Coordinates of all heavy atoms in Angstrom, one line a residue:
R146 N -38.6 32.1 69.8 CA -38.1 30.9 69.0 C -36.7 31.1 68.8 O -36.2 32.4 68.6 CB -38.9 30.8 67.7 CG -40.3 30.7 67.8 CD -40.8 29.5 68.7 NE -40.4 28.2 68.0 CZ -40.5 27.0 68.5 NH1 -40.9 27.0 69.7 NH2 -40.1 25.9 68.0
K147 N -35.9 30.0 68.6 CA -34.5 30.1 68.2 C -34.4 30.4 66.8 O -35.0 29.6 65.9 CB -33.9 28.7 68.6 CG -32.4 28.7 68.3 CD -31.9 27.4 68.6 CE -30.5 27.2 68.1 NZ -30.0 25.9 67.6
I148 N -33.8 31.5 66.4 CA -33.8 31.8 64.9 C -32.5 31.0 64.3 O -31.5 31.1 64.7 CB -33.4 33.3 64.8 CG1 -34.6 34.2 65.5 CG2 -33.3 33.8 63.4 CD1 -36.0 33.8 65.1
L149 N -32.9 30.3 63.2 CA -31.9 29.5 62.6 C -31.1 30.3 61.5 O -30.0 30.1 61.3 CB -32.8 28.4 61.8 CG -33.6 27.3 62.7 CD1 -34.3 26.5 61.7 CD2 -32.6 26.6 63.6
K150 N -31.9 31.2 60.8 CA -31.3 31.9 59.8 C -31.9 33.2 59.6 O -33.2 33.4 60.0 CB -31.4 31.2 58.4 CG -30.5 29.9 58.3 CD -30.8 29.2 56.9 CE -30.0 27.9 56.7 NZ -28.7 27.9 56.7
K151 N -31.2 34.2 58.9 CA -31.9 35.5 58.5 C -31.8 35.6 57.0 O -30.9 35.2 56.4 CB -31.2 36.6 59.3 CG -31.4 36.6 60.8 CD -30.9 37.9 61.4 CE -31.2 37.8 63.0 NZ -30.6 39.0 63.6
A152 N -32.8 36.3 56.4 CA -32.8 36.6 55.2 C -33.1 38.1 54.8 O -34.0 38.6 55.6 CB -33.8 35.6 54.3
P153 N -32.6 38.7 53.8 CA -32.9 40.0 53.5 C -34.2 40.5 52.9 O -34.7 41.5 53.0 CB -31.7 40.5 52.5 CG -31.3 39.1 51.8 CD -31.6 38.0 52.9
D154 N -34.9 39.3 52.3 CA -36.1 39.6 51.7 C -36.9 38.3 51.6 O -36.3 37.2 52.0 CB -36.0 40.1 50.3 CG -35.1 39.3 49.4 OD1 -35.4 38.1 49.3 OD2 -34.1 39.8 48.9
A155 N -38.3 38.5 51.4 CA -39.1 37.3 51.5 C -38.8 36.2 50.5 O -38.9 35.0 50.8 CB -40.5 37.8 51.2
E156 N -38.2 36.5 49.3 CA -38.0 35.5 48.3 C -36.7 34.7 49.0 O -36.8 33.5 48.7 CB -37.5 36.3 47.0 CG -37.3 35.4 45.8 CD -37.0 36.1 44.6 OE1 -37.6 37.1 44.3 OE2 -36.2 35.7 43.7
T157 N -35.8 35.3 49.4 CA -34.5 34.7 50.0 C -35.0 33.8 51.1 O -34.6 32.7 51.4 CB -33.5 35.6 50.5 OG1 -33.2 36.4 49.3 CG2 -32.3 34.9 50.8
A158 N -36.0 34.3 52.0 CA -36.5 33.7 53.1 C -37.2 32.3 52.8 O -37.0 31.3 53.3 CB -37.5 34.4 53.9
A159 N -38.1 32.5 51.6 CA -38.8 31.2 51.1 C -37.8 30.2 50.6 O -38.0 29.0 50.8 CB -39.7 31.7 50.1
E160 N -36.7 30.6 49.9 CA -35.6 29.7 49.5 C -34.9 28.9 50.7 O -34.7 27.8 50.6 CB -34.8 30.5 48.6 CG -33.6 29.6 48.0 CD -34.1 28.6 47.0 OE1 -35.2 28.9 46.3 OE2 -33.4 27.6 46.8
M161 N -34.6 29.8 51.7 CA -33.9 29.2 52.8 C -34.9 28.0 53.5 O -34.5 27.0 54.0 CB -33.5 30.2 53.8 CG -32.3 30.9 53.3 SD -31.9 32.3 54.5 CE -30.4 33.0 53.8
V162 N -36.1 28.5 53.6 CA -37.2 27.6 54.1 C -37.2 26.3 53.5 O -37.2 25.2 54.0 CB -38.5 28.3 54.3 CG1 -39.5 27.3 54.6 CG2 -38.4 29.3 55.4
R163 N -37.2 26.4 52.1 CA -37.3 25.2 51.3 C -36.1 24.3 51.4 O -36.2 23.2 51.5 CB -37.4 25.7 49.8 CG -37.6 24.6 48.7 CD -38.3 25.1 47.5 NE -37.7 26.3 46.9 CZ -38.2 27.5 46.6 NH1 -39.5 27.6 47.0 NH2 -37.6 28.4 46.1
K164 N -34.8 25.0 51.5 CA -33.7 24.1 51.8 C -33.6 23.5 53.2 O -33.3 22.3 53.2 CB -32.4 25.2 51.7 CG -32.1 25.6 50.2 CD -30.7 25.9 50.2 CE -30.2 26.1 48.6 NZ -30.4 27.6 48.4
L165 N -34.2 24.2 54.2 CA -34.3 23.5 55.5 C -35.3 22.2 55.4 O -35.1 21.3 56.0 CB -34.7 24.6 56.4 CG -33.7 25.5 57.0 CD1 -34.4 26.8 57.6 CD2 -32.7 25.0 57.8
Q166 N -36.3 22.4 54.7 CA -37.2 21.4 54.5 C -36.6 20.2 53.8 O -36.8 19.1 54.1 CB -38.5 21.8 53.7 CG -39.4 22.8 54.5 CD -39.9 22.3 55.8 OE1 -39.5 22.8 56.8 NE2 -40.8 21.3 55.7
E167 N -35.9 20.6 52.8 CA -35.2 19.4 52.0 C -34.1 18.7 52.9 O -34.0 17.5 52.8 CB -34.5 20.0 50.8 CG -35.6 20.3 49.8 CD -34.9 21.1 48.5 OE1 -33.9 21.3 48.5 OE2 -35.7 21.4 47.8
E168 N -33.4 19.5 53.7 CA -32.5 18.9 54.7 C -33.1 18.0 55.6 O -32.6 16.9 56.0 CB -31.8 20.0 55.5 CG -30.6 20.7 54.8 CD -30.1 21.9 55.6 OE1 -30.3 22.0 56.8 OE2 -29.6 22.7 55.0
K169 N -34.2 18.3 56.1 CA -34.9 17.5 57.1 C -35.7 16.2 56.5 O -35.6 15.2 56.9 CB -36.1 18.4 57.8 CG -36.7 17.6 59.0 CD -37.5 18.6 59.9 CE -38.1 17.8 61.0 NZ -37.2 17.2 61.9
Y170 N -36.3 16.6 55.3 CA -37.2 15.5 54.7 C -36.5 14.8 53.5 O -37.1 14.0 52.9 CB -38.6 16.1 54.3 CG -39.4 16.6 55.6 CD1 -39.5 18.0 55.8 CD2 -39.9 15.7 56.4 CE1 -40.1 18.4 57.0 CE2 -40.5 16.2 57.6 CZ -40.7 17.6 57.9 OH -41.3 17.9 59.0
G171 N -35.3 15.3 53.2 CA -34.7 14.8 51.9 C -35.3 15.2 50.6 O -34.9 14.6 49.5
G172 N -36.1 16.3 50.6 CA -36.7 16.8 49.3 C -37.8 15.9 48.8 O -37.9 14.8 49.4
G173 N -38.4 16.2 47.8 CA -39.5 15.4 47.1 C -40.7 15.6 47.8 O -41.8 15.6 47.1
I174 N -40.8 15.8 49.2 CA -42.1 15.9 49.7 C -42.7 17.4 49.5 O -43.8 17.5 49.0 CB -42.1 15.6 51.3 CG1 -41.7 14.2 51.5 CG2 -43.5 15.8 51.8 CD1 -41.4 13.9 52.9
F175 N -41.8 18.4 49.8 CA -42.2 19.7 49.7 C -41.5 20.2 48.4 O -40.4 20.6 48.3 CB -41.8 20.5 50.8 CG -42.4 20.1 52.1 CD1 -41.7 19.2 53.0 CD2 -43.7 20.5 52.5 CE1 -42.4 18.8 54.2 CE2 -44.3 20.1 53.6 CZ -43.6 19.2 54.4
T176 N -42.2 20.3 47.4 CA -41.7 20.7 46.0 C -42.0 22.0 45.7 O -41.2 22.6 44.9 CB -42.1 19.6 44.9 OG1 -43.5 19.6 44.9 CG2 -41.5 18.3 45.1
T177 N -43.0 22.6 46.2 CA -43.3 24.0 45.7 C -43.5 24.9 46.9 O -43.8 24.5 48.1 CB -44.7 24.0 45.0 OG1 -45.6 23.6 45.8 CG2 -44.6 23.3 43.7
A178 N -43.3 26.2 46.8 CA -43.3 27.1 47.8 C -44.6 27.3 48.5 O -44.7 27.5 49.7 CB -42.7 28.5 47.4
D179 N -45.7 27.1 47.7 CA -47.0 27.3 48.3 C -47.4 26.2 49.4 O -48.2 26.4 50.3 CB -48.0 27.4 47.3 CG -48.1 26.2 46.3 OD1 -47.1 25.5 46.2 OD2 -49.2 25.9 45.8
K180 N -46.7 25.1 49.2 CA -47.0 24.0 50.2 C -46.3 24.2 51.6 O -46.7 23.6 52.5 CB -46.5 22.6 49.7 CG -47.5 22.1 48.7 CD -47.0 20.8 48.0 CE -47.9 20.4 47.0 NZ -47.3 19.1 46.2

Side-chain angles (χ1 to χ4, degrees):
R146 302 304 293 172
K147 185 184 171 212
I148 302 305
L149 301 174
K150 290 177 189 292
K151 291 183 179 181
D154 53 55
E156 194 176 316
T157 308
E160 181 64 27
M161 285 178 175
V162 163
R163 187 154 52 238
K164 288 211 174 88
L165 285 166
Q166 292 300 112
E167 284 170 6
E168 277 170 25
K169 186 169 178 66
Y170 298 106
I174 300 169
F175 299 97
T176 51
T177 59
D179 58 335
K180 283 184 183 164

